Amino acid sequence: MSERRLTTHLAKPAAAGIAIVVLLLVPLYFDASWTIIGVFSMGAAIAAIGLTILSGSAGQLSLAHAAFMAVGAYAYAFFAGVRGDEHYAGLGLPPLAAAVLAVVVAGIAGLAFSPVAARLRGFYLGVSTIGLVFIAQWVMKDAARLTGGVNGRSVEPLTVGGFELSGSNPTHQLTVLGVPFGGTERLWYVSLLLLLAAIVAAARILHARPGRALKLVRDNESAAAAMGISVQRAKATAFILSSAFAGVGGVLFALASNFIGSGNFDLLVSMSYLAMVVIGGLGSVGGAVAGAVFVMALPLLLNKFSDSIPFLAAPGSNGYTAGVVAQIVYGVVVVAVIIGRPEGVASFFRTSRRAPAAGRLPTPSPARQTL
Amino acid sequence: MRKHTLRAAAVSVAVLTAVSLAGCGTRSSDAGSGSSSGDVKTDFGVTDDTITLGVMSDFSVVYGPLAKTVYAGDQIWADEVNAAGGICGRKIKFDVQDQKMDTQLANTEYAGMKNDVLGLVHLLGSPIISSLLPQIKADHMPTIAVGWSADYLGTPEIAVLGTTYDLDEINGVQHLVDEGKIHKGAAIGHIYMAGDFGENAAEGAKYAAGKLGLTYVGKKVDATATDISAEMSALKAAGVKAILVSTGPKQTAMVASQAPSLGLDVPILVNAPSYDPSLLQSPAAATVLKNLEVVTSMVPYAGDSEGQKKIQEGFAKVAEKGVNPTQHAGYGYAGATVLGEAIKAACEDGDLTRQSVVDHLRELDSVDTDGIYPALDFSDPATPSSTKSVILKAAKNEGGLKQVGDYFASPLQDGYKR
């Protein structure tokens, strides 16, 4: 093995190892105002991985991602909800079981939509998924016992064997290396674990037979059918996988904000997920994660930092306040990234491989793939 | 084989480096708990010379204009208190955040400010309050909620100023009957918006109508509804003799402009958030001036009580150009006054911790807000701090409302249970 091969082989696991360790240490050095941004971003990243499987690898445009996230979030709230509560319906299941069930329900919701998906492609599918968002919005507003109606409903914290992994129960105190670990810090580790699992699972699916089948279906349905791939089944699989990932993202969102309402899962949210996978690079798992962190964390971070910028108008006045400037900067950055890197953030990490090592084929650029 | 060993080695070196780095100085135990500054015990948001209070509102999306006038009221109070030397010898400072009605943003901002503020003097928005509720309880964060929803009651940390929407409606329907504007057996219509405000108001209106022998015709509309002609036609068909409105000002304008064309020349009774002075510049102005009344527990902007005068004098100083004064400046002023009273009491007790401020807030059983509200009683977290209402009439003055009559409470409230 040559020196160069050796270093390139070592670079990836070492980088991943360092990244994981750094992420593990974050709550020790940064307080909840940072970690909560991380929790929201990691939840979004898991959901975005789902969308990149569907829209990037399987080529199915979906604007219903927020609706599937809502299914996961509300299903968790319902399964874990207190039984016999006067306002909301609940089954009172252990939260961990409720979370798993919620993801299963989200997957089933994806399966239920797959007959439609199997008959439509591209923009036509995209438009029909908008319908799903409207149906979901209507259900969220009208099934008041289940969803809390327009007001929304509160969410039980995640517990495992009586130990709270989220929420803010002051009687559950935990201190690690002198740092108090509250609900946000604990949820950080839950999110990190789930994100790693999601990345590994997605990478394994996409690089193995099912992933190759999805890509072939995307590129040429007839060729795929001729190869013996069941096109309908491949498309249904993509929808189930994607909505199950969305379900995990939805549950994490519900846990992080302790409360869910219909406004958290509207069409705008679906659009921002589409933005995440496009910014990250369609079809790339790492890109989806980067895109999600970018889209989710940037406005929150800008909002956080903009407080310390002196020349802005004070909040509550009519001028360019910190919040307004944060939105403008965010918009400009999104446009700049799309223009500068049409293949997404993922391409930043690919440049070093411009001259591919012997025996490796260059991967086709995802942006040029049609939906 | 060799490759795997090297990989493992690379990872373990990385881990070891990072862990050894971790050994040196984590952010172990933030300052705060149990320290004392000067002569009093403190935990968060209090230094030797300042007390910092949080403002978390929606200045830009749904309630922008309203929130700005409420915040103007907060500032008028702070200026007054600081000019008089502050509370406990400390000046009042605000940490202001715009949460844009986004629960995600609100959670981030709350996490960012919670170690720097003693309490929240202005927290607006039902979804935001619901989302932060577990943390507010856990942090014992004294909080003034902006709004009159009965859903906010029941938490010691959260104070709601004045009469809740349901009790306002009971008083309001009683007023219509007492004034002879509607008689037993008649129908009364109610346009209310989905969500806690409208639904809470509907509970009270329905109860009062039942007790007073009126037929209640309630129509729920979406908060963003731009067409309510179907609902108005239904009210016309039911032959209503009065219309209650518990929506945003936009829908109030629709009710007022459609009522005359349907031949419904009847009293229109609205809640405080349903009214905005800009209605008097709309095509519905004539109907608004003739038929519209507001039922609320807060006096209008125009008036000559001590609190009203202070707000009128201070408003121009703190508000941006283009922000017109409304009644809601009173909410900010009175809300800050209530929290201020609790902080003063806690200071006299030598304990300026959050828990102590919450405890003292709940000992206030008769707060005087310089005439903005009737005396407020916060001793029971589960009951509203007031049960009285006052009737305001649309008028062409600053704030667009004038007070007619005195505070009153309907005897029907005794039998009312949510």
Side-chain angles (χ1 to χ4, degrees):
Chain A
M1 197 181 280
S2 74
E3 273 301 301
R4 201 165 139 256
R5 283 294 299 280
L6 195 66
T7 45
T8 50
H9 260 279
L10 288 178
K12 228 178 160 185
I18 290 170
I20 291 169
V21 171
V22 167
L23 288 174
L24 281 172
L25 293 176
V26 166
L28 292 176
Y29 295 92
F30 294 93
D31 67 17
S33 67
W34 297 94
T35 40
I36 186 77
I37 298 179
V39 170
F40 281 127
S41 303
M42 289 192 274
I46 295 172
I49 291 174
L51 191 60
T52 211
I53 293 176
L54 184 68
S55 296
S57 300
Q60 290 172 294
L61 177 62
S62 169
L63 283 165
H65 215 56
F68 292 116
M69 289 182 71
V71 171
Y74 281 105
Y76 173 77
F78 169 67
F79 290 132
V82 180
R83 212 172 176 156
D85 186 273
E86 54 172 326
H87 296 301
Y88 316 121
L91 288 186
L93 296 180
L96 190 62
V100 174
L101 270 177
V103 175
V104 173
V105 170
I108 293 172
L111 176 66
F113 188 70
S114 62
V116 180
R119 284 166 180 80
L120 298 170
R121 321 193 64 208
F123 285 114
Y124 297 94
L125 178 63
V127 171
S128 72
T129 54
I130 294 179
L132 266 190
V133 179
F134 289 131
I135 293 171
Q137 283 289 316
W138 182 77
V139 172
M140 279 185 260
K141 283 178 184 159
D142 236 49
R145 285 285 296 163
L146 183 67
T147 64
V150 176
N151 295 334
R153 74 176 282 171
S154 53
V155 177
E156 292 295 311
L158 183 68
T159 54
V160 175
F163 182 76
E164 286 200 0
L165 291 172
S166 74
S168 28
N169 188 340
T171 57
H172 280 67
Q173 294 204 338
L174 176 72
T175 309
V176 178
L177 292 174
V179 179
F181 268 31
T184 311
E185 281 82 9
R186 297 174 209 178
L187 199 55
W188 168 278
Y189 290 106
V190 176
S191 310
L192 185 59
L193 187 71
L194 287 172
L195 178 61
L196 291 177
I199 292 173
V200 171
R204 294 208 127 190
I205 293 166
L206 291 181
H207 292 146
R209 281 176 66 96
R212 287 202 289 271
L214 287 181
K215 283 177 192 153
L216 188 56
V217 170
R218 172 195 67 197
D219 293 339
N220 191 332
E221 283 189 18
S222 331
M227 297 278 287
I229 296 166
S230 162
V231 174
Q232 301 236 353
R233 210 174 134 188
K235 284 184 166 182
T237 312
F239 247 98
I240 295 168
L241 279 174
S242 132
S243 44
F245 277 94
V248 178
V251 173
L252 276 179
F253 175 81
L255 290 172
S257 51
N258 300 309
F259 172 86
I260 42 178
S262 60
N264 299 128
F265 306 102
D266 59 11
L267 192 58
L268 211 60
V269 176
S270 281
M271 304 283 253
S272 69
Y273 275 89
L274 209 57
M276 288 173 197
V277 295
V278 171
I279 289 172
L282 269 175
S284 153
V285 173
V289 175
V293 172
F294 184 84
V295 170
M296 191 56 69
L298 191 66
L300 298 177
L301 287 173
L302 284 172
N303 194 64
K304 192 169 162 58
F305 283 117
S306 53
D307 286 349
S308 42
I309 303 174
F311 54 85
L312 296 175
S317 61
N318 283 339
Y320 285 92
T321 60
V324 174
V325 170
Q327 274 175 330
I328 295 172
V329 172
Y330 169 66
V332 170
V333 172
V334 167
V335 173
V337 166
I338 300 239
I339 292 177
R341 288 276 165 178
E343 293 167 19
V345 178
S347 64
F348 279 113
F349 305 103
R350 275 198 214 107
T351 43
S352 57
R353 278 197 248 143
R354 199 164 276 160
R360 273 201 187 178
L361 288 170
T363 43
S365 78
R368 269 175 233 125
Q369 292 160 1
T370 50
L371 276 170
Chain B
M1 189 62 218
R2 186 166 160 253
K3 195 174 87 186
H4 277 279
T5 328
L6 273 168
R7 272 193 189 199
V11 173
S12 22
V13 166
V15 172
L16 281 175
T17 324
V19 168
S20 50
L21 278 172
C24 36
T26 60
R27 54 165 185 110
S28 52
S29 284
D30 298 342
S33 46
S35 65
S36 76
S37 105
D39 43 350
V40 291
K41 205 174 142 200
T42 60
D43 54 5
F44 299 99
V46 181
T47 65
D48 283 340
D49 49 9
T50 50
I51 293 174
T52 309
L53 299 174
V55 174
M56 264 181 100
S57 198
D58 164 24
F59 292 115
S60 44
V61 187
V62 190
Y63 293 106
L66 188 151
K68 282 175 189 168
T69 54
V70 177
Y71 177 51
D74 297 330
Q75 288 170 293
I76 293 166
W77 170 81
D79 289 348
E80 182 196 331
V81 167
N82 288 341
I87 297 178
C88 223
R90 293 161 171 85
K91 298 271 164 140
I92 300 293
K93 215 180 87 191
F94 290 138
D95 181 349
V96 187
Q97 299 287 338
D98 181 3
Q99 28 88 342
K100 304 190 179 95
M101 279 316 235
D102 174 350
T103 46
Q104 216 157 313
L105 196 55
N107 272 282
T108 321
E109 289 171 348
Y110 182 85
M113 72 155 61
K114 74 172 177 185
N115 288 336
D116 307 324
V117 298
L118 175 61
L120 298 177
V121 71
H122 171 171
L123 179 64
L124 182 145
S126 295
I128 306 296
I129 293 174
S130 307
S131 178
L132 296 178
L133 186 62
Q135 297 188 66
I136 286 173
K137 282 184 188 165
D139 297 334
H140 305 296
M141 181 74 83
T143 301
I144 305 291
V146 176
W148 294 273
S149 168
D151 288 2
Y152 300 161
L153 299 175
T155 307
E157 285 81 7
I158 297 183
V160 180
L161 270 80
T163 310
T164 47
Y165 297 119
D166 45 358
L167 300 187
D168 265 344
E169 289 294 333
I170 294 173
N171 292 339
V173 176
Q174 178 86 53
H175 158 78
L176 290 174
V177 171
D178 288 354
E179 295 283 302
K181 289 179 176 169
I182 184 167
H183 299 282
K184 201 171 179 177
I188 185 165
H190 192 186
I191 304 274
Y192 63 95
M193 70 177 191
D196 61 350
F197 160 33
E199 283 160 28
N200 187 209
E203 287 173 74
K206 203 172 176 180
Y207 166 83
K211 286 282 171 186
L212 292 166
L214 306 168
T215 314
Y216 175 79
V217 187
K219 292 288 164 199
K220 181 152 80 172
V221 297
D222 213 59
T224 52
T226 50
D227 176 22
I228 56 162
S229 45
E231 286 79 8
M232 288 299 288
S233 304
L235 296 193
K236 168 72 183 163
V240 299
K241 293 284 181 263
I243 302 173
L244 308 170
V245 180
S246 309
T247 59
K250 276 183 193 145
Q251 287 96 343
T252 308
M254 289 180 228
V255 172
S257 61
Q258 288 178 22
S261 58
L262 288 166
L264 285 170
D265 187 15
V266 296
I268 299 171
L269 187 67
V270 310
N271 294 99
S274 312
Y275 185 80
D276 189 87
S278 65
L279 286 171
L280 296 176
Q281 264 84 56
S282 76
T287 314
V288 169
L289 280 170
K290 184 174 172 228
N291 289 335
L292 187 135
E293 288 177 330
V294 179
V295 60
T296 177
S297 47
M298 192 168 68
V299 295
Y301 183 81
D304 48 16
S305 75
E306 205 185 323
Q308 282 164 311
K309 278 189 204 152
K310 281 182 195 161
I311 294 171
Q312 289 152 11
E313 281 161 22
F315 196 86
K317 268 181 253 161
V318 297
E320 289 277 304
K321 270 196 185 133
V323 175
N324 291 317
T326 73
Q327 185 197 18
H328 302 293
Y331 202 109
Y333 182 82
T337 304
V338 169
L339 189 57
E341 289 299 318
I343 297 173
K344 263 183 220 163
C347 169
E348 277 159 25
D349 213 14
D351 185 354
L352 265 184
T353 59
R354 276 183 195 156
Q355 182 65 63
S356 160
V357 174
V358 171
D359 293 344
H360 285 92
L361 173 70
R362 290 303 167 190
E363 280 166 18
L364 301 172
D365 57 4
S366 180
V367 188
D368 172 21
T369 53
D370 289 342
I372 305 292
Y373 278 100
L376 299 174
D377 176 4
F378 292 95
S379 52
D380 182 2
T383 55
S385 53
S386 167
T387 56
K388 292 178 184 165
S389 302
V390 65
I391 301 295
L392 315 177
K393 210 162 165 28
K396 285 191 170 164
N397 59 11
E398 285 275 278
L401 287 170
K402 63 167 190 258
Q403 184 175 345
V404 287
D406 282 327
Y407 278 97
F408 66 100
S410 163
L412 292 176
Q413 284 183 9
D414 293 340
Y416 173 73
K417 248 191 141 75
R418 273 195 89 206

